[in-house]
Amino acid sequence: MTERDVTPDIGPLLDELRAFPVVFVHAGTLFCPDAVTAALLDSLASQGMATQLVEADLPSAPANEDEGGVFIVQGLERITGSADRCTLLAQLRSWAMVCATAGARIVVLSSVPKLRLLGCPGSQLVLDARTAFLSCLDENRVVSAIAEAGVAQRQVRHVEELASGRPGLLAALLAMGVTTTEDSPEALRSARQQAIDSLRGSLVGAVAEA
């Protein structure tokens, strides 16, 4: 079981992208940002749309003259921690305006929330962008992913409750092998402790992004 197996539904994001030239998406640790990027690339490619990944602090790629082209901007967390934060945001905004004028679409995929990117002239890119929200996994997808991972039936509810529909938590729990087929109290305690440790790691990362 990998993160891509529990990627949140990006259908609403694609709908927003068709309607707006610039879309901002907050995809933090709990929503598997790498998996969201991969899913976006796959979906756009399947629609015959040219796509290109762009680093937020190095937006040197030329504007795509193809009106169907899409740029996916990533790495904004590096800008928030930079001493040149305002300069980098201004450069990114100028680059985005050139791309949008050429007819390209832009997805700003950020692991940090909008509030961390405000306070500079270049922040207008983020302020003006259409915000798209990723949804938690519904119960059916969670249960299906747990079943595919071979989790014992008696532990399905336990893992489901710990994940709370967050793709990153579910992927972490299943990737760490937090379940056991043994019935002994010691084995069950060990599995539960593994689950707690796995969740702690994911939550620490999520808090650091806030």
Side-chain angles (χ1 to χ4, degrees):
M1 180 65 61
T2 66
E3 284 189 353
R4 295 195 65 173
D5 296 319
V6 291
T7 304
D9 180 16
I10 63 168
L13 167 56
L14 295 173
D15 291 339
E16 298 285 16
L17 189 60
R18 281 188 282 269
F20 298 92
V22 183
V23 178
F24 178 91
V25 187
H26 179 204
T29 297
L30 299 185
F31 285 89
C32 303
D34 290 343
V36 171
T37 300
L40 262 177
L41 290 171
D42 288 347
S43 294
L44 293 170
S46 69
Q47 298 174 30
M49 301 180 73
T51 59
Q52 186 172 339
L53 289 175
V54 175
E55 297 301 324
D57 50 352
L58 293 169
S60 58
N64 192 334
E65 298 297 333
D66 180 358
E67 290 189 359
V70 179
F71 289 104
I72 300 175
V73 179
Q74 58 184 8
L76 273 86
E77 66 280 357
R78 293 194 299 274
I79 288 182
T80 62
S82 171
D84 298 323
R85 174 174 173 271
C86 287
T87 299
L88 292 171
L89 281 172
Q91 291 174 350
L92 181 62
R93 179 176 180 272
S94 296
W95 169 86
M97 290 177 65
V98 172
C99 291
T101 300
R105 299 276 167 167
I106 301 168
V107 179
V108 181
L109 193 62
S110 176
S111 64
V112 295
K114 270 191 173 184
L115 287 176
R116 294 273 299 276
L117 298 163
L118 303 183
C120 298
S123 300
Q124 203 64 37
L125 170 65
V126 175
L127 285 171
D128 292 344
R130 176 71 171 185
T131 300
F133 298 95
L134 298 172
S135 300
C136 291
L137 302 174
D138 63 35
E139 184 176 358
N140 289 336
R141 285 198 65 195
V142 173
V143 171
S144 175
I146 293 173
E148 289 176 13
V151 175
Q153 185 60 42
R154 64 181 177 280
Q155 294 178 310
V156 168
R157 179 58 60 182
H158 171 62
V159 175
E160 183 182 355
E161 290 175 351
L162 287 174
S164 302
R166 272 62 177 183
L169 294 181
L170 180 58
L173 287 167
L174 299 182
M176 290 295 291
V178 298
T179 59
T180 177
T181 57
E182 298 181 41
D183 292 319
S184 70
E186 182 178 349
L188 293 174
R189 280 196 299 271
S190 176
R192 186 173 184 82
Q193 186 58 52
Q194 280 185 297
I196 292 172
D197 291 344
S198 181
L199 290 175
R200 182 182 294 114
S202 296
L203 291 172
V204 166
V207 170
E209 295 165 348

